[in-house]
């Protein structure tokens, strides 16, 4: 990877980073000016003590996060879940909310507090590879939930798997189920409401009411604003009643990625307390300043404006990459992919048997052409197919995306011809 990244002129379709050109520099400047303005005024007129209190955003915050931000997040998610955001509902949800250093930290806290080494977590197939790495780092096994050819969960096959786990004595080690519900990384797929409810029903029927971790990192990045409401999150989905539920979300991808603020919402007091306890050991609170900026950005409307910009930008970039691949002849070479309606990724299946792993000829040809991707084998908890690829259209500008797509197609042609001198 390092050698590849040091290659001059290499275009990376690998990193799940966001679009640099649209990062909200001006909006954050205004938000920052608004925050500091009050302090400067207070400093000019009041006692030093009073002005010091006004700059509370430059002081440590609390472990759970700023109350104002938690309430705003609660209101947003309630609205997306089609619930009335009454004062009581917001207060109850805010109580379940804790702010984290990106949603990645919430995922880590979840697994660390649920699992011991040797335990098992059910994951989607394919799954978010940093989550899989996290499991591996804690010695926890990922077990993929079976899917059909269309990528939908195969619930009868899942029931069989759960029965086999019981028969093998593995059931006691099954500690959680994890999935990305909207515009998944890496597949770009959104779970259907009935599919998600069916998963709960199957787990319940097989006596596997284990904690559920719903990752909603891309919920707000659907190209149609309304897609965030296409289904309820697990916290409001009656099918999941009785499960201990954690819903994770983020403000990184939809706004200023570098502020690295995410959140968890958990309806199980004991689990939530355990996560917050461990968070206390990590950092006793996410950067208060970053939270204060986001609080103002949401309250003042800059967050929503940025989302509208991103939706349009990413849709165009998706089109650019998709068209580069289609025009480059990838379909004719037997490659297949779905065109996602949100998120940052195209998930490609190469012709059966074509190896796309790091060590593969195809990967070397891509590097020789000057393009980098994520081999799909990294995105599988187990029994990884060799022929899948994740491409991100997040970072590169449109012209670079088109060129990267063309390079990718050239590598696919060369490996298909069997000629490819690297
Ligand atoms: C599916 C998914 N979940 C969670 C995260 C973590 O993101 P962050 O820590 O920036 O919130 C990512 C980042 O790429 C992701 O793709």
């Amino acid at each position: 990877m390092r050698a590849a990244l040091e290659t001059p002129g290499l275009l990376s379709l690998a990193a799940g980073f966001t679009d640099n050109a649209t990062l909200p520099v001006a909006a954050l400047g205004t938000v920052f000016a608004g925050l500091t303005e009050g302090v400067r005024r207070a400093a000019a007129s009041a006692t030093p003590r009073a002005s010091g209190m006004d700059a509370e955003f430059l002081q440590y915050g609390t472990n759970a996060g700023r109350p104002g931000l938690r309430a705003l997040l609660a209101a947003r998610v309630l609205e997306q879940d089609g619930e009335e955001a009454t004062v009581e509902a917001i207060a109850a949800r805010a109580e379940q909310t804790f702010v984290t250093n990106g949603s990645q930290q919430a995922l880590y806290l979840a697994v660390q507090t649920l699992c011991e080494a040797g335990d098992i977590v059910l994951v989607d197939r394919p799954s978010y590879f940093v989550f899989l790495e996290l499991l591996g780092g804690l010695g926890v096994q990922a077990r993929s939930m079976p899917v059909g050819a269309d990528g939908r969960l195969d619930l009868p096959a899942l029931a069989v798997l759960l029965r086999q786990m019981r028969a093998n004595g593995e059931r006691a080690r099954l500690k959680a189920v994890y999935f990305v519900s909207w515009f998944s990384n890496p597949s770009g797929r959104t779970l259907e409401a009935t599919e998600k409810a069916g998963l709960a029903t199957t787990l319940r029927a097989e006596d596997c009411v284990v904690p559920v971790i719903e990752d909603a990192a891309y919920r707000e990045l659907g190209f149609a604003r309304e897609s965030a409401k296409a289904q309820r999150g697990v916290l409001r989905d009656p099918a999941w009643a009785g499960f201990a539920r954690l819903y994770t979300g983020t403000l990184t991808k939809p706004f200023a990625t570098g502020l690295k603020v995410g959140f968890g919402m958990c309806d199980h007091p004991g689990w939530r307390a355990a996560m917050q306890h461990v968070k206390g050991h990590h950092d006793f609170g996410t950067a208060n300043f970053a939270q204060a900026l986001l609080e103002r950005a949401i309250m003042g409307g800059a967050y929503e404006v940025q989302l509208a910009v991103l939706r349009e930008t990413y849709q165009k970039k998706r089109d650019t990459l998709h068209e580069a691949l289609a025009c480059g002849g990838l379909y004719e070479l037997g490659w297949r992919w779905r065109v996602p309606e949100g998120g940052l990724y195209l998930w490609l299946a190469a012709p059966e048997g074509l190896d796309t792993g790091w060590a593969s000829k195809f990967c070397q040809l891509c590097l020789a052409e000057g393009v980098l991707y994520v081999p799909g084998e990294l995105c599988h908890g187990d029994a990884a197919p060799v022929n899948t690829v994740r491409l991100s259209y997040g970072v590169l500008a449109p012209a670079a995306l088109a060129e990267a797509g063309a390079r990718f197609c050239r590598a696919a042609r060369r490996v298909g011809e069997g000629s490819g001198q690297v």
Side-chain angles (χ1 to χ4, degrees):
M1 267 294 269
R2 197 173 58 242
L5 289 170
E6 283 164 3
T7 309
L10 183 89
L11 294 175
S12 177
L13 295 169
F17 285 26
T18 48
D19 183 62
N20 274 340
T22 49
L23 287 171
V25 179
L28 263 177
T30 308
V31 166
F32 176 71
L35 259 185
T36 50
E37 171 84 8
V39 181
R40 272 189 274 114
R41 253 191 268 124
S45 63
T47 63
R49 180 143 186 260
S51 61
M53 285 171 74
D54 280 342
E56 55 73 30
F57 55 86
L58 291 182
Q59 186 49 269
Y60 282 138
T62 61
N63 192 359
R66 292 175 75 83
L69 180 60
R70 288 160 61 208
L72 288 166
L73 294 170
R76 277 189 86 76
V77 177
L78 284 170
E79 199 253 333
Q80 288 164 354
D81 281 347
E83 297 284 325
E84 202 186 336
T86 60
V87 174
E88 295 74 26
I90 291 174
R93 181 60 72 88
E95 181 65 26
Q96 299 176 343
T97 302
F98 53 101
V99 180
T100 50
N101 277 300
S103 54
Q104 189 64 37
Q105 185 184 36
L107 296 175
Y108 187 86
L109 295 173
V111 178
Q112 198 187 5
T113 50
L114 289 175
C115 301
E116 303 284 341
D119 284 341
I120 301 169
V121 173
L122 290 174
V123 298
D124 31 21
R125 178 177 173 83
S127 193
Y128 168 42
F129 69 85
V130 186
F131 184 77
L132 297 175
E133 282 173 8
L134 180 171
L135 292 181
L138 290 170
V140 177
Q141 290 172 29
R143 191 67 51 87
S144 298
M145 294 186 279
V147 291
D150 55 1
R152 292 184 97 246
L153 285 170
D154 182 340
L155 296 173
L158 175 63
V160 171
L161 173 71
L162 295 172
R163 275 173 229 151
Q164 277 166 358
M165 288 176 71
R166 182 178 307 286
N168 297 341
E170 290 179 323
R171 165 64 188 90
R173 290 193 284 122
L174 175 61
K175 294 293 169 63
V177 55
Y178 164 82
F179 48 84
V180 184
S181 297
W182 287 267
F183 311 111
S184 168
N185 175 6
S187 71
R189 224 186 140 248
T190 295
L191 286 177
E192 291 160 22
T194 50
E195 191 183 1
K196 194 160 87 180
L199 172 57
T201 307
T202 305
L203 290 168
R204 199 188 307 277
E206 298 305 323
D207 197 17
C208 292
V209 179
V210 291
V212 54
I213 304 167
E214 175 169 54
D215 183 336
Y218 298 90
R219 185 175 193 176
E220 298 196 304
L221 287 185
F223 303 141
R225 185 177 186 278
E226 293 306 299
S227 56
K229 298 184 183 173
Q231 56 174 295
R232 294 171 169 201
V234 285
L235 286 166
R236 300 306 292 191
D237 184 340
W240 291 89
F243 287 75
R245 297 173 271 196
L246 171 67
Y247 172 97
T248 63
T250 191
L251 305 174
T252 62
K253 309 268 180 192
F255 193 65
T257 317
L259 290 179
K260 201 64 181 128
V261 173
F263 61 93
M265 295 177 168
C266 178
D267 69 350
H268 188 284
W271 186 15
R272 192 168 71 237
M275 287 188 280
Q276 284 190 239
H277 185 73
V278 178
K279 180 162 168 66
H281 297 166
H282 284 189
D283 54 27
F284 47 91
T286 296
N288 197 21
F289 179 50
Q291 292 183 63
L293 291 173
L294 286 161
E295 190 176 288
R296 278 198 162 230
I298 295 175
M299 224 161 22
Y303 183 84
E304 204 57 55
V305 170
Q306 176 66 7
L307 268 179
V309 171
L310 290 187
R311 289 192 181 108
E312 207 187 318
T313 304
Y314 288 133
Q315 185 167 14
K316 283 193 186 138
K317 288 173 52 151
R318 175 210 63 185
D319 288 345
T320 303
L321 183 59
H322 163 65
E323 280 157 21
L325 299 178
C327 297
L330 215 54
Y331 282 130
E332 289 75 11
L333 293 169
W335 289 67
R336 295 290 173 260
W337 62 97
R338 225 182 283 116
V339 183
E341 290 306 318
L344 301 180
Y345 310 103
L346 292 185
W347 177 247
L348 277 59
E352 201 69 37
L354 173 55
D355 187 352
T356 59
W358 284 134
S360 67
K361 176 88 174 285
F362 176 70
C363 191
Q364 288 173 48
L365 284 167
C366 280
L367 289 177
E369 289 288 349
V371 63
L372 189 65
Y373 63 89
V374 172
E377 65 185 10
L378 301 183
C379 306
H380 290 84
D382 43 31
V386 294
N387 66 326
T388 51
V389 160
R390 189 197 80 172
L391 301 182
S392 170
Y393 45 83
V395 186
L396 296 180
L401 267 181
E403 171 59 22
R407 291 181 187 181
F408 189 87
C409 292
R410 276 202 296 276
R413 252 193 318 278
R414 285 172 70 186
V415 80
E417 285 158 4
S419 63
Q421 280 305 313
V422 177

